[in-house]
Amino acid sequence: MDLKNNEPAPSELNRLVHLAPLEKVLNIARAHSLWPMQFGLACCAIEALMGTNGPRYDLSRFGYEVMRTSPRQADVMVVAGTITYKAAPFILRLWEQMSEPKWCIAVGSCAISGGPFVDSYYVVPGAKELIPVDVYVPGCPPRPDAVIDGFLRLKNKVLNPKVVEG
Ligand code: SF4
């Protein structure tokens, strides 16, 4: 088939082949294979993240269950728990070691805003003070369902980068 410039593709070809910008195709692949790096810092890591990954809630149904321990193998940092000023440089360093594109989910009140320890002299008032956060999962701790909802919101954000999630 010989298509000249500006010549519309035949309807048969249109029907069989979906042409899309490469970035859109890549985003579909990324959204369906997020590679999380869990940064468990306190109770939320156990109550929320481990529960989400366990057999009852089974995050693997969505394909996001393989928590990486290396930032070089991850594209989603999951910050779960209380961030102390002592731990802050490690979060920052690991975030910088993750390649682009990358996203962050803040799990629990502490990771969102410092939670019950916000007035403490040693607690960072939320992951957003260190790195850009894409999705916030509220709760102290959040239920595993809420963590799964957070992953699905991130999936939606990756698929539709221009849509602002609530
Ligand atoms: S939000 Fe609540 S459950 Fe989660 S780390 Fe803070 S104190 Fe613990």
Side-chain angles (χ1 to χ4, degrees):
M1 194 175 296
D2 184 24
L3 290 180
K4 293 182 185 139
N5 284 349
N6 301 327
E7 187 176 298
S11 57
E12 192 180 354
L13 185 63
N14 269 341
R15 191 167 58 80
L16 295 174
V17 181
H18 291 276
L19 300 176
L22 179 60
E23 191 65 17
K24 197 167 181 178
V25 174
L26 290 175
N27 282 343
I28 291 171
R30 289 168 182 147
H32 289 84
S33 62
L34 296 171
W35 287 57
M37 187 185 77
Q38 71 104 355
F39 208 105
L41 292 153
C43 11
C44 266
I46 297 164
E47 300 283 345
L49 272 191
M50 287 187 188
T52 307
N53 239 344
R56 187 176 179 91
Y57 292 93
D58 195 11
L59 188 61
S60 62
R61 288 177 295 155
F62 304 93
Y64 307 144
E65 80 283 10
V66 183
M67 298 279 169
R68 313 309 303 184
T69 51
S70 165
R72 293 180 178 85
Q73 298 172 344
D75 55 11
V76 183
M77 180 181 273
V78 183
V79 182
T82 321
I83 307 168
T84 61
Y85 280 104
K86 197 162 188 175
F90 303 112
I91 293 180
L92 203 51
R93 184 185 302 175
L94 292 171
W95 174 257
E96 285 169 353
Q97 288 177 350
M98 290 168 64
S99 57
E100 297 278 358
K102 55 190 172 186
W103 301 274
C104 172
I105 301 177
V107 172
S109 306
C110 286
I112 292 173
S113 64
F117 312 109
V118 67
D119 292 330
S120 304
Y121 67 93
Y122 60 90
V123 169
V124 179
K128 64 185 182 310
E129 303 293 327
L130 306 169
I131 57 177
V133 175
D134 296 281
V135 175
Y136 296 91
V137 181
C140 180
R143 287 184 53 82
D145 324 53
V147 178
I148 291 173
D149 182 67
F151 271 99
L152 295 180
R153 281 174 188 271
L154 180 61
K155 174 185 176 184
N156 198 35
K157 184 170 183 174
V158 175
L159 284 172
N160 307 288
K162 290 183 184 157
V163 176
V164 178
E165 276 282 340

